[in-house]
Amino acid sequence: MRQVISLPHADPGTPDLAGPTAYLRWVGKGQWRTLVVAITFGIVWLVSQALFPAAMGKAIDDGIIGADPGSLLLWCGVLVGLVVISALSGAFRHKYAVANWLQGAFRSAQLIGHHAADTGEALTRTVPTGDVVATVSSDAMRIGGLYDVTARFVGSVVSYVVVALILLRASTTLGLVVLIGVPVLVACLSLIVRPLQRRQLAQREEAGRLIGLGADTVAGLRVLRGIGGEHTFLQRYAVQSQSVRTVGNRVAGYQAALDAAQVLLPGIFVLIVVWLGARFAIEGEITAGQLVAFYGYTAFLVIPLRTATEMVDRATRAHIGAGKLLRILRVRPDQVESAQTRPLPTAPSRLVEPRSGVSIEPGRFTVVVSARPEDSAALADRLGRFGSEEGGATEARLGGTRLADAPLAELRRRVVISETDPRLFTGSLRDELDPWGVHDDATILAALSVASGDDVLEALPGGLDNEVEERGRAFSGGQRQRLALTRALLTDAETLVLVEPTSAVDAHTEARIAARLTEARAGRTTVVMSASPLILDRADDVVFLRDGRAVATGTHQQLMTEHPDYRRTVVRGEED
């Protein structure tokens, strides 16, 4: 069977964030073609089934009671035709219903993924990690589920109207019972759905907390083992698990009541209609064939009734999920593209940061030293236009252009910041070091050598094809740091800012990295935040920060001789 759609979407689009209903409507518009096809097949599927009793009734009245073999064969043929139509339309309805479910789920999951990449740390500051994970793994699927049931729901409504019109023509009383009775039953079921919705929302909140707690525990597992804190976190996880179980039991009670009502209420409805039909048949108001047809209609109406209830349940879950998703999508990134961008200078230019008074000359190897590492790390964020802009946009300038006014894509390409806490993701080592796939193996190995990571590669049985575990947890801190440095070098950025790139390696490895780094980056702007004498010895320029401000600039030897505070900072770093 030919594939209907291509997933994931090339572009998930720009969502409507006005509210959960608006978002669900927007998702539906994005897949209206497959929705229309699914609805068409859904109508044909259920209406053909709704006509089964009519064909059976005519076969009984005209063919059996009327003793007309020709009519019997005719209506039996009609019944077989309806069965074939129902089977074929049902198969295609299911195919397109699954396509709608996947499109809605994938679109929602992609939006979260893209938004998480755009917002970065701003997202985790606003929304717990567990909520983000639960939204992708659970809520996106529930949103997709709404479009799965849509075709059956529309088919149910149309088939319900068809059956009601047929019954009204045969018996006004029975027709009115069906027309009024089905909406009343759905209204009765909604009395259970509303409290169920509140409990489902509570369950979703507790499950999100549990996932977040689990993610935080796994992320800090090595530290927990080091301080013997596993038992404490295990207790916290057990307590939260019990909270989820308790809330789940409350949901299960109402869900069970809803499932039971879906069987009980339609059953009572069928009994009422059959009893009335039997009375009318005895009194001669309807024929035997019509009585059989009425029973078939009431049995069939259980399908629209249950589908309507399922639609309410799915819509409730989707509405809750959409609300959670919107909470994520409404988080604003720390950096937003300026309305009127200005291009950066085409040639390498001086990088100036007014708040600290630091000036970085192009094409030179500059090391920034600070007694407080957080000051130099904050400077690196401002040089790369990272971090929150709540205190105002960065005033750093490249040449005469403010970084806050530059196009973000161009800035990220030309000025690359490598943080002190390297982050590795799941995938092959080759893809980890060269995410864009623009370098050959020789270039990757050369960059790895500059970062003194040859031994890391040699220890991997699969080489560059070896799978990197989540967060790179199979590597030591020093290995992760060298792999992150390799990744930064492969960007071939015009300006490369490295924050404590050798803090987790030994002195011999650090000396090799310092020598190779200055050689590999010769002629290009490189800024290193470090107080290591091994790196400072290789620097063209050294900037010393005190309380976040540049108080001295020169070579390492000059500052060691002329600036006591600098000397104390560097000597202390060497002792550490």
Side-chain angles (χ1 to χ4, degrees):
M1 187 174 289
R2 187 174 64 84
Q3 186 179 8
V4 179
I5 53 173
S6 176
L7 294 174
H9 299 281
D11 178 14
T14 304
D16 188 338
L17 306 182
T21 303
Y23 174 79
L24 294 174
R25 189 185 304 116
W26 173 81
V27 173
K29 289 180 180 178
Q31 56 194 69
W32 68 268
R33 290 179 178 85
T34 49
L35 274 174
V36 169
V37 174
I39 288 171
T40 301
F41 282 117
I43 292 173
V44 173
W45 176 58
L46 281 174
V47 169
S48 60
Q49 293 183 54
L51 296 177
F52 288 175
M56 292 174 60
K58 295 296 289 183
I60 292 172
D61 284 340
D62 297 348
I64 297 176
I65 297 177
D68 185 350
S71 295
L72 181 61
L73 289 175
L74 172 63
W75 289 109
C76 286
V78 171
L79 183 59
V80 171
L82 290 172
V83 170
V84 172
I85 293 173
S86 176
L88 292 175
S89 59
F92 282 102
R93 188 237 15 118
H94 180 70
K95 171 185 175 180
Y96 283 94
V98 172
N100 282 312
W101 171 58
L102 291 175
Q103 284 188 85
F106 267 81
R107 192 183 302 277
S108 298
Q110 281 182 259
L111 286 171
I112 297 172
H114 292 180
H115 195 68
D118 291 339
T119 52
E121 294 182 354
L123 178 60
T124 54
R125 286 199 305 267
T126 308
V127 181
T129 304
D131 271 0
V132 179
V133 174
T135 301
V136 174
S137 62
S138 176
D139 295 329
M141 299 299 107
R142 292 178 175 180
I143 289 171
L146 175 63
Y147 306 101
D148 169 30
V149 76
T150 300
R152 285 186 287 126
F153 175 69
V154 176
S156 296
V157 172
V158 174
S159 61
Y160 159 72
V161 173
V162 169
V163 169
L165 292 176
I166 293 174
L167 289 176
L168 280 172
R169 287 188 62 186
S171 171
T172 304
T173 303
L174 286 177
L176 290 175
V177 168
V178 172
L179 278 174
I180 299 172
V182 172
V184 169
L185 291 179
V186 174
C188 291
L189 291 174
S190 67
L191 298 176
I192 303 175
V193 171
R194 288 187 178 180
L196 176 63
Q197 177 183 356
R198 291 194 296 269
R199 283 156 177 78
Q200 286 175 340
L201 180 59
Q203 183 189 32
R204 170 62 181 77
E205 295 285 354
E206 294 296 331
R209 295 190 186 99
L210 180 65
I211 294 173
L213 181 60
D216 293 342
T217 303
V218 171
L221 191 57
R222 182 172 296 182
V223 177
L224 288 174
R225 286 175 176 171
I227 62 175
E230 305 103 312
H231 182 67
T232 300
F233 273 80
L234 180 61
Q235 286 181 324
R236 289 178 58 188
Y237 193 84
V239 170
Q240 186 61 33
S241 297
Q242 290 302 312
S243 297
V244 175
R245 183 184 65 83
T246 301
V247 177
N249 287 339
R250 295 172 186 164
V251 172
Y254 274 87
Q255 187 67 57
L258 179 62
D259 293 341
Q262 285 179 310
V263 176
L264 176 63
L265 295 180
I268 295 174
F269 180 65
V270 169
L271 289 175
I272 292 173
V273 174
V274 170
W275 178 74
L276 286 174
R279 285 195 58 189
F280 291 154
I282 292 172
E283 295 171 1
E285 294 185 19
I286 60 176
T287 66
Q290 288 177 323
L291 175 61
V292 172
F294 283 172
Y295 176 78
Y297 292 138
T298 53
F300 166 78
L301 286 173
V302 173
I303 298 175
L305 180 59
R306 288 186 177 178
T307 303
T309 307
E310 183 183 358
M311 181 66 179
V312 173
D313 184 46
R314 293 281 187 96
T316 298
R317 292 172 181 267
H319 195 274
I320 293 173
K324 293 295 180 181
L325 184 139
L326 290 181
R327 182 187 176 196
I328 295 173
L329 296 182
R330 285 169 177 163
V331 175
R332 300 288 294 169
D334 289 331
Q335 304 294 334
V336 181
E337 193 78 75
S338 175
Q340 295 181 340
T341 58
R342 295 182 56 192
L344 293 171
T346 55
S349 305
R350 178 183 297 176
L351 183 59
V352 179
E353 205 289 302
R355 187 184 304 183
S356 63
V358 172
S359 178
I360 308 297
E361 295 297 327
R364 296 177 68 80
F365 189 87
T366 304
V367 181
V368 177
V369 179
S370 175
R372 297 192 307 171
E374 58 268 26
D375 289 341
S376 55
L379 171 62
D381 284 342
R382 296 197 296 274
L383 291 176
R385 191 178 160 188
F386 283 99
S388 174
E389 289 189 350
E390 292 177 359
T394 177
E395 293 298 321
R397 295 175 179 271
L398 185 63
T401 304
R402 252 188 8 142
L403 299 187
D405 299 330
L408 268 175
E410 182 184 4
L411 177 62
R412 295 287 180 259
R413 178 175 54 83
R414 296 181 59 180
V415 181
V416 172
I417 312 296
S418 183
E419 300 175 323
T420 184
D421 181 21
R423 303 184 184 187
L424 302 180
F425 304 94
T426 304
S428 70
L429 182 60
R430 179 184 287 101
D431 293 339
E432 185 64 37
L433 299 179
D434 182 23
W436 295 273
V438 296
H439 297 293
D440 56 24
D441 286 0
T443 305
I444 295 175
L445 293 175
L448 194 62
S449 178
V450 172
S452 193
D454 310 79
D455 60 317
V456 180
L457 186 64
E458 291 170 0
L460 300 176
L464 290 175
D465 294 319
N466 203 84
E467 192 75 7
V468 176
E469 295 183 18
E470 183 185 5
R471 295 177 179 263
R473 58 174 178 264
F475 299 116
S476 67
Q479 289 175 327
R480 289 197 301 272
Q481 205 167 55
R482 284 178 283 166
L483 292 176
L485 176 57
T486 303
R487 183 171 58 191
L489 290 169
L490 285 172
T491 63
D492 203 29
E494 175 187 305
T495 300
L496 182 60
V497 181
L498 306 171
V499 182
E500 302 288 351
T502 58
S503 60
V505 301
D506 59 72
H508 296 290
T509 303
E510 186 175 32
R512 284 196 301 272
I513 293 174
R516 295 173 182 177
L517 181 62
T518 52
E519 182 180 349
R521 293 285 302 175
R524 286 175 292 179
T525 307
T526 306
V527 184
V528 180
M529 310 296 176
S530 175
S532 168
L534 294 172
I535 294 179
L536 289 165
D537 271 337
R538 298 282 179 172
D540 297 323
D541 302 306
V542 177
V543 179
F544 179 53
L545 299 182
R546 181 195 294 151
D547 297 327
R549 294 283 303 174
V551 294
T553 304
T555 66
H556 173 53
Q557 295 302 327
Q558 286 175 337
L559 295 179
M560 285 291 286
T561 303
E562 301 172 2
H563 209 292
D565 287 348
Y566 173 83
R567 185 169 58 252
R568 280 192 294 269
T569 300
V570 173
V571 170
R572 184 179 62 192
E574 186 176 16
E575 291 174 349
D576 293 342

